[in-house]
Amino acid sequence: MQGNDSFRLIVRRGPQPNQIYELKEDVITLGRDITNNIVINDPEVSRHHLRLTRGAGSYTVEDLGSTNGTFVNGQRLTGAKPLSNGDTLGLGETVTLGYEIVAAGAASEPPPMSPGPQAGGTPGVYAGQQPPMQQPQQPAYQPIPESQAPDPVSYGHGEEQLYQQPGPPPPPSLEYDYDPYISREEEPRNTMRWVVIGCAGILLFCCCITVIGAVVVDQACLYDELPLVGDVLEVLGFFEDAAACL
């Protein structure tokens, strides 16, 4: 391993999955307390759980008397143990960390460039990279000839003339235009007409009853029994008939 390799811990299982902690200090403490270099807030993690010490080409892990223990690849840690690339650190039963060693320049080195245009390839594109999308070219602006320009429409004296594109006439409306004032004017007329018809009918009925009653009284000679009716008949011209009944 080279001396400028980088080291890191990745949370495989725990409160922040896929969280990456870069290991740069020579001595790093890990635990639930905020005074640690790496803080993992989990009930299975002790306040000061473990310590990482940098050695020749790697880190050495050491448990700090945690309650739930530290496990390296499933084995409980009883003393200091050097870590290798790909080792798994278990903190209790709920937190799992992955230990990785990244070689110098592996993350910053760009992928190789393609040597040149090949069959179906694009020059200047990284290997395995999709070629950039071509932007559609906008058509050039072409002015409208004067012969095809619409006639100007004036909107008043002193205003600029605007061009208005003539359009087709609107279709005739099939809906009935309801005017509320028409119904309000016709409604009183209809009511008055029915009132007049009703009054005329009542008056005609009363006249018929009067005539029929007069005829019945006259034919039956009921003037003495109905003095009030006799007076009415006298006014109506039935006095002579009333005298004949006496």
Side-chain angles (χ1 to χ4, degrees):
M1 296 183 184
Q2 300 179 2
N4 53 357
D5 293 342
S6 59
F7 309 90
R8 61 186 181 182
L9 291 177
I10 302 176
V11 179
R12 303 298 185 189
R13 186 180 62 173
Q16 295 179 341
N18 300 324
Q19 176 71 31
I20 299 177
Y21 297 99
E22 298 291 342
L23 307 179
K24 298 180 180 180
E25 292 81 3
D26 293 337
V27 179
I28 300 173
T29 58
L30 185 150
R32 197 174 68 250
D33 194 270
I34 60 175
T35 58
N36 294 282
N37 302 101
I38 299 176
V39 179
I40 297 180
N41 190 9
D42 189 89
E44 291 286 325
V45 179
S46 299
R47 296 183 58 188
H48 299 280
H49 200 100
L50 60 84
R51 178 171 56 234
L52 295 171
T53 305
R54 187 166 186 172
S58 184
Y59 274 87
T60 300
V61 61
E62 181 181 1
D63 188 80
L64 298 179
S66 61
T67 303
N68 298 311
T70 302
F71 300 85
V72 178
N73 298 328
Q75 300 294 327
R76 183 156 188 155
L77 188 64
T78 56
K81 178 178 178 58
L83 295 176
S84 301
N85 186 24
D87 285 347
T88 301
L89 294 177
L91 310 180
E93 297 181 355
T94 59
V95 179
T96 303
L97 306 177
Y99 177 76
E100 292 185 358
I101 301 176
V102 181
S108 59
E109 183 179 356
M113 294 284 292
S114 58
Q118 299 178 0
T122 303
V125 179
Y126 290 108
Q129 183 180 5
Q130 296 292 336
M133 297 181 61
Q134 297 292 336
Q135 296 293 336
Q137 186 177 3
Q138 298 293 337
Y141 172 75
Q142 296 180 358
I144 301 176
E146 296 182 358
S147 60
Q148 300 180 2
D151 297 333
V153 179
S154 177
Y155 290 92
H157 180 71
E159 296 182 359
E160 296 182 357
Q161 292 183 347
L162 303 178
Y163 288 94
Q164 182 178 6
Q165 183 70 23
S173 178
L174 300 179
E175 297 181 357
Y176 174 74
D177 295 334
Y178 174 74
D179 190 355
Y181 297 99
I182 296 178
S183 60
R184 292 178 182 177
E185 293 178 358
E186 293 180 353
E187 184 176 357
R189 296 179 182 178
N190 295 335
T191 304
M192 184 61 64
R193 181 176 60 184
W194 287 109
V195 170
V196 173
I197 293 174
C199 293
I202 294 174
L203 181 61
L204 180 61
F205 177 77
C206 293
C207 293
C208 293
I209 293 298
T210 302
V211 172
I212 294 173
V215 172
V216 171
V217 171
D218 182 54
Q219 295 295 330
C221 296
L222 300 176
Y223 300 104
D224 295 336
E225 298 180 3
L226 300 173
L228 181 61
V229 176
D231 296 338
V232 174
L233 293 177
E234 183 179 359
V235 174
L236 295 177
F238 289 92
F239 180 78
E240 296 179 357
D241 296 337
C245 293
L246 297 176

